[in-house]
């Protein structure tokens, strides 16, 4: 191993996560996201969890979420209809921080 | 629920603010329940970062000697980068680290530091409940009387919100609205492991000494900057961006950060290391003017970063020390038995937290100058390039070259003077 540019998925793979399979802590309303022109979530999420699928619809996976809150404060059309921290014990577990 | 089960205080969040508050309250004999959503204190937290030790000394004289700290900061560095070029300033003053006395600051890793501090609070009798997320507050006749976590309800005379930058508890209490995007930065960080010996050789450090480095010019012109802190056996490398400007660039912050890691001024410091963690966190950037108007209501006080207590002056960043001080202030307000809100504000003033933040409030205007993040690092490296270049040809007149550089960077003398004056007035 040495230092090299890593994509977000590989970086997230280094972290310890406990994914809450039952209850997503962030939920989108795609109807609200559709008319959003800027789609800041595509660029500001440090984990790059927001992507566009082939049909131009936002695709989102909460599993690698670092719980920073940037998407919530940047969301323009309020398409993020739920943003809470994961339930106790779930989510990212920083070992260094 | 019987009266016995009611606590003197419930603290939401076992970061430095919460634990310092819990510690101080328990020391004065108060019953304290501290609730942390992470599996362990610090497991949800990220810092640059460092802690200034005066705050630990305020909490308990001498406690720093057993604290989970990384390296005492002996080298304060600033770097400007432009393309492949680098300018670096290295300042060291042995007076910050007098032999046998308390060093001024230490680098830290939060998962380690927060867990240690929370354990100190537990030793004092604080009940620490980890892996529990507080969902809501309980209000009775307008007064906050407890918290809800799932189906569980817990009651106390006072609830202390130490739940960090997103401050969801204060929002639930209607104390303030969600944070505005332009008042925060989003920070990303890699922790890169390297042997202690390698770190000491590369940074010219002796045993236990450390470097704090802030970097300008690595954000594609976006307000923000990079940071590097040497830990015992790792390096914390990160970058903070104003998220509202990221969208305009149409580049992912993760991507811009990877460029910083591979920059010729940074990469040789990391070479051979191994990234072991990638983290991200918001950080308040608005300083004193960003502190919400009211930090308390009946039965509730807000402390730490939830209250906006962060100082960024460009060459140093403070948050953990302010968190600890605000925790102590809140605890002393509770212990005093006086009217809680005003007692808290008085303590924040007495402990010099609010005055310190106010004193550097105008730095905000300096850091608003967008040319700091792209134009000036370019100008600085271009000028140094003129000075140091020797190629056997007749060297050009430096003043002519400097005028050319200003012109190339679309910078007039007038603009330069204006920014200089604005900067000088701010500091």
């Amino acid at each position: 191993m040495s230092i090299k540019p890593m994509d977000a998925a590989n970086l997230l793979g280094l972290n310890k996560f406990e994914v809450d399979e039952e209850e997503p802590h962030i939920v989108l309303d795609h109807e609200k996201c559709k008319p959003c022109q800027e789609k800041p979530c595509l660029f500001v999420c440090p984990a790059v969890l927001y992507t566009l699928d082939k049909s131009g619809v936002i695709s989102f996976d909460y599993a690698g979420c670092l719980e920073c809150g940037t998407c919530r404060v940047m969301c323009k059309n309020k398409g993020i209809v739920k943003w809470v921290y994961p339930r106790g014990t779930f989510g990212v577990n920083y070992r260094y921080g | 629920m019987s009266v016995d089960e009611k606590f003197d205080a419930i603290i939401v969040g076992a970061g430095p603010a919460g634990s310092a508050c819990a510690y101080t309250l328990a020391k004065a004999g108060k019953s304290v329940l501290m609730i942390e959503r992470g599996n362990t204190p610090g497991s949800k937290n990220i810092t640059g970062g460092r802690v200034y030790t005066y705050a630990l000394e305020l909490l308990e004289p001498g406690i720093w000697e057993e604290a989970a700290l990384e390296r005492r900061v002996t080298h304060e560095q600033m770097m400007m980068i432009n393309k492949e070029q680098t300018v670096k300033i290295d300042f060291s003053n042995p007076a910050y680290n007098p032999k046998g006395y308390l060093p001024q600051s230490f680098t830290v890793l939060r998962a380690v530091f927060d867990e240690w501090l929370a354990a100190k609070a537990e030793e004092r009798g604080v009940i620490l409940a980890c892996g529990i997320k507080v969902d809501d507050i309980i209000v009775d006749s307008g007064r906050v009387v407890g918290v809800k976590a799932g189906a569980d309800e817990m009651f106390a005379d006072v609830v202390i919100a130490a739940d960090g930058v997103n401050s969801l508890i204060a929002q639930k209490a209607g104390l303030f609205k969600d944070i505005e995007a332009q008042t925060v930065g989003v920070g990303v960080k890699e922790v890169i492991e390297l042997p202690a010996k390698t770190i000491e050789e590369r940074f010219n450090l002796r045993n236990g000494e450390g470097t704090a480095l802030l970097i300008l010019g690595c954000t594609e012109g976006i307000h923000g900057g990079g940071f590097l802190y040497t830990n015992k056996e790792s390096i914390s490398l990160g970058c903070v961006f104003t998220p509202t400007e990221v969208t305009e660039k149409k580049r992912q912050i993760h991507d811009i950060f990877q460029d910083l890691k591979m920059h010729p001024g940074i990469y040789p410091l990391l070479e051979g290391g191994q990234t072991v963690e990638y983290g991200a966190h918001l950080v308040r950037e608005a300083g004193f003017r960003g502190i919400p108007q009211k930090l308390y209501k009946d039965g509730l006080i807000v402390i730490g970063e939830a209250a906006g207590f962060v100082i960024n002056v460009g060459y140093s960043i403070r948050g953990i020390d302010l968190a600890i001080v605000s925790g102590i202030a809140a605890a002393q307000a509770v212990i005093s038995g006086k009217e809680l809100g005003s007692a808290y504000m008085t303590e924040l003033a007495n402990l010099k937290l609010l005055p310190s933040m106010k004193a550097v409030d105008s730095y905000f205007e300096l850091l608003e100058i967008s040319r700091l993040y792209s134009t000036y690092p370019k100008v600085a490296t271009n000028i140094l390039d003129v000075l140091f270049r020797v190629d056997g040809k007749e060297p050009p007149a430096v003043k002519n070259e400097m005028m050319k550089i200003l012109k190339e960077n679309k910078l007039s003398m007038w603009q330069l003077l204006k920014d200089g004056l604005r900067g000088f007035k701010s500091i």
Side-chain angles (χ1 to χ4, degrees):
Chain A
M1 265 304 270
S2 191
I3 297 299
K4 56 177 186 288
M6 290 172 77
D7 62 27
N10 285 335
L11 283 170
L12 295 176
L14 303 170
N15 292 354
K16 196 175 152 215
F17 288 100
E18 197 67 54
V19 181
D20 187 349
E21 306 285 358
E22 285 168 30
E23 209 178 294
H25 67 287
I26 299 173
V27 177
L28 308 188
D29 178 344
H30 287 288
E31 285 309 307
K32 286 185 178 162
C33 294
K34 219 183 276 173
C36 177
Q37 292 297 313
E38 296 105 323
K39 293 192 172 41
C41 53
L42 296 177
F43 305 102
V44 299
C45 172
V48 199
L49 299 177
Y50 295 84
T51 50
L52 281 183
D53 69 15
K54 279 178 194 152
S55 52
V57 174
I58 294 269
S59 145
F60 171 70
D61 183 0
Y62 65 92
C65 179
L66 300 170
E67 302 164 32
C68 66
T70 314
C71 60
R72 187 190 79 249
V73 302
M74 285 297 293
C75 187
K76 294 276 183 214
N77 266 27
K78 302 291 158 224
I80 298 176
V81 289
K82 176 186 175 186
W83 195 102
V84 295
Y85 287 128
R87 290 190 291 171
T89 74
F90 289 109
V92 67
N93 266 293
Y94 291 120
R95 293 158 296 135
Y96 299 85
Chain B
M1 171 160 264
S2 73
V3 180
D4 290 352
E5 287 168 272
K6 189 176 150 191
F7 293 90
D8 290 326
I10 290 175
I11 298 172
V12 183
S19 286
C21 187
Y23 183 95
T24 310
L25 283 169
K27 199 175 154 185
K30 301 285 180 191
S31 63
V32 183
L33 171 66
M34 181 157 66
I35 308 174
E36 164 58 44
R37 71 186 179 92
N39 281 319
T40 50
S43 65
K44 297 290 186 182
N45 294 345
I46 292 283
T47 179
R50 75 162 109 190
V51 59
Y52 287 93
T53 49
Y54 79 92
L56 286 170
E57 201 62 1
L58 191 65
L59 182 67
E60 185 74 63
I63 201 172
W64 69 274
E65 287 186 71
E66 46 176 308
L69 304 166
E70 295 293 320
R71 289 173 178 273
R72 61 180 190 280
V73 177
T74 50
H75 291 255
E76 303 281 352
Q77 299 185 340
M78 288 193 291
M79 185 189 263
M80 282 195 278
I81 63 179
N82 164 37
K83 296 197 188 95
E84 298 206 312
Q85 300 168 17
T86 308
V87 189
K88 192 149 107 182
I89 297 171
D90 180 5
F91 177 68
S92 75
N93 180 357
Y96 293 166
N97 292 277
K99 244 200 168 100
Y101 290 91
L102 175 69
Q104 178 174 270
S105 70
F106 281 88
T107 56
V108 282
L109 290 166
R110 288 289 295 278
V112 189
F113 179 77
D114 291 10
E115 193 170 15
W116 165 78
L117 192 56
K120 295 310 287 182
E122 270 188 296
E123 278 174 26
R124 288 276 180 185
V126 171
I127 298 174
L128 172 66
C130 286
I132 295 171
K133 185 183 66 152
V134 170
D135 297 307
D136 211 344
I137 48 166
I138 304 169
V139 180
D140 183 18
S141 327
R143 184 183 167 83
V144 177
V145 294
V147 297
K148 266 185 224 168
D152 293 327
E153 296 191 330
M154 289 147 277
F155 295 87
D157 287 337
V158 58
V159 173
I160 294 160
D163 56 335
V165 59
N166 284 301
S167 65
L168 302 180
I169 297 296
Q171 289 181 44
K172 291 266 185 204
L175 205 47
F176 35 86
K177 293 200 181 89
D178 202 357
I179 36 182
E180 301 275 347
Q182 58 272 19
T183 66
V184 286
V186 49
V188 292
K189 174 175 124 168
E190 282 184 36
V191 178
I192 297 162
E193 276 188 345
L194 274 170
K197 197 168 170 288
T198 308
I199 293 173
E200 283 161 9
E201 280 168 7
R202 285 184 188 173
F203 288 86
N204 195 21
L205 304 169
R206 275 174 290 184
N207 186 29
E209 292 183 342
T211 297
L213 164 67
L214 295 180
I215 308 156
L216 271 181
C218 58
T219 51
E220 299 242 317
I222 296 167
H223 278 76
F227 59 83
L228 184 155
Y229 294 90
T230 55
N231 306 311
K232 276 181 191 152
E233 293 185 317
S234 67
I235 285 171
S236 293
L237 176 76
C239 201
V240 177
F241 303 85
T242 298
T244 45
E245 293 177 32
V246 173
T247 312
E248 293 156 26
K249 291 280 169 197
K250 303 269 174 220
R251 246 194 108 185
Q252 279 151 359
I253 58 174
H254 151 269
D255 217 28
I256 304 174
F257 173 55
Q258 293 303 301
D259 285 353
L260 171 64
K261 188 171 77 174
M262 301 312 289
H263 188 275
I266 296 293
Y267 174 79
L269 301 170
L270 314 173
E271 197 173 5
Q274 186 171 353
T275 301
V276 288
E277 189 168 86
Y278 177 61
H281 221 272
L282 285 178
V283 55
R284 303 268 181 140
E285 292 284 12
F288 184 74
R289 65 191 67 189
I291 299 173
Q293 268 187 329
K294 221 170 148 227
L295 298 174
Y296 55 89
K297 66 184 284 182
D298 207 7
L300 180 82
I301 331 185
V302 187
I303 64 175
E305 199 173 6
F309 296 149
V310 178
I311 291 177
N312 176 8
V313 289
Y315 44 81
S316 69
I317 295 156
R318 293 168 54 183
I320 302 173
D321 59 320
L322 304 179
I324 292 170
V325 172
S326 72
I328 297 169
Q332 286 178 351
V334 172
I335 295 162
S336 76
K338 293 182 192 151
E339 199 277 311
L340 200 58
S342 57
Y344 177 44
M345 297 315 284
T346 305
E347 291 294 342
L348 286 176
N350 288 346
L351 295 175
K352 300 284 175 266
L353 191 153
L354 290 174
S356 295
M357 287 192 69
K358 199 173 175 189
V360 294
D361 183 48
S362 51
Y363 270 75
F364 187 82
E365 278 132 41
L366 166 70
L367 298 174
E368 277 278 281
I369 301 174
S370 59
R371 283 170 292 278
L372 273 180
Y373 306 98
S374 158
T375 310
Y376 288 133
K378 259 187 219 160
V379 169
T381 50
N382 289 352
I383 290 174
L384 287 166
D385 178 52
V386 171
L387 299 184
F388 287 108
R389 187 179 292 272
V390 176
D391 54 9
K393 290 180 195 152
E394 182 189 336
V398 172
K399 58 178 176 294
N400 293 346
E401 289 300 301
M402 280 168 84
M403 293 311 288
K404 221 185 330 176
I405 289 165
L406 292 184
K407 209 175 155 194
E408 277 164 12
N409 285 289
K410 298 188 178 63
L411 200 60
S412 65
M413 269 305 209
W414 171 238
Q415 190 66 64
L416 196 64
L417 282 170
K418 243 172 59 178
D419 283 350
L421 193 65
R422 186 172 163 190
F424 188 72
K425 271 163 69 182
S426 304
I427 60 176

